[in-house]
Amino acid sequence: MRERKADIIPLVRHFIQKHNRQLAREIQGISNEALEYMGAYDWPGNVRELENTIERAMTLEMSDLIRPERLPEKLRGRPPATMQRFLLSTFAKASTWKPI
């Protein structure tokens, strides 16, 4: 996934929908800050690690939006300094993207 960062947003959406059904939750999305941390991470465990991260965050989250505090510390350990460019280019490409 480190070469396919643009896939993070649609995968996060998919996993939120999937785990909302499985966990009987109503998580509406993920904060931009949490998404920045996810985009800055290299994902050595690939898609499986991403899905496990979303499921864990949803289990811990008390609000309807996944916040950075619910992400594993190893993701939050890296500052998302270059993520603004990543997010802007990804959002521009995703014609159906609706900000959270």
Side-chain angles (χ1 to χ4, degrees):
M1 285 200 44
R2 75 190 77 157
E3 290 90 26
R4 300 198 50 160
K5 297 284 187 175
D7 291 346
I8 292 173
I9 293 171
L11 285 169
V12 166
R13 283 190 191 146
H14 169 74
F15 294 139
I16 288 173
Q17 290 174 352
K18 175 182 176 180
H19 292 293
N20 268 336
R21 289 187 300 272
Q22 290 179 346
L23 301 171
R25 297 293 312 267
E26 294 184 16
I27 301 291
Q28 300 299 309
I30 185 167
S31 73
N32 286 336
E33 186 179 359
L35 195 58
E36 287 178 9
Y37 281 108
M38 295 183 84
Y41 186 64
D42 283 336
W43 299 103
N46 220 323
V47 177
R48 185 173 295 160
E49 183 181 8
L50 175 61
E51 181 173 9
N52 291 340
T53 298
I54 293 298
E55 183 178 15
R56 175 188 181 275
M58 290 177 68
T59 301
L60 297 172
E61 188 57 68
M62 301 302 288
S63 72
D64 64 350
L65 194 66
I66 297 173
R67 296 171 293 158
E69 304 85 58
R70 304 301 178 231
L71 298 176
E73 194 167 319
K74 65 182 178 183
L75 266 74
R76 292 180 285 124
R78 289 186 155 176
T82 60
M83 285 310 300
Q84 186 168 358
R85 281 178 282 164
F86 160 73
L87 289 172
L88 290 174
S89 68
T90 302
F91 294 154
K93 292 176 189 172
S95 60
T96 60
W97 174 256
K98 293 182 177 97
I100 300 170

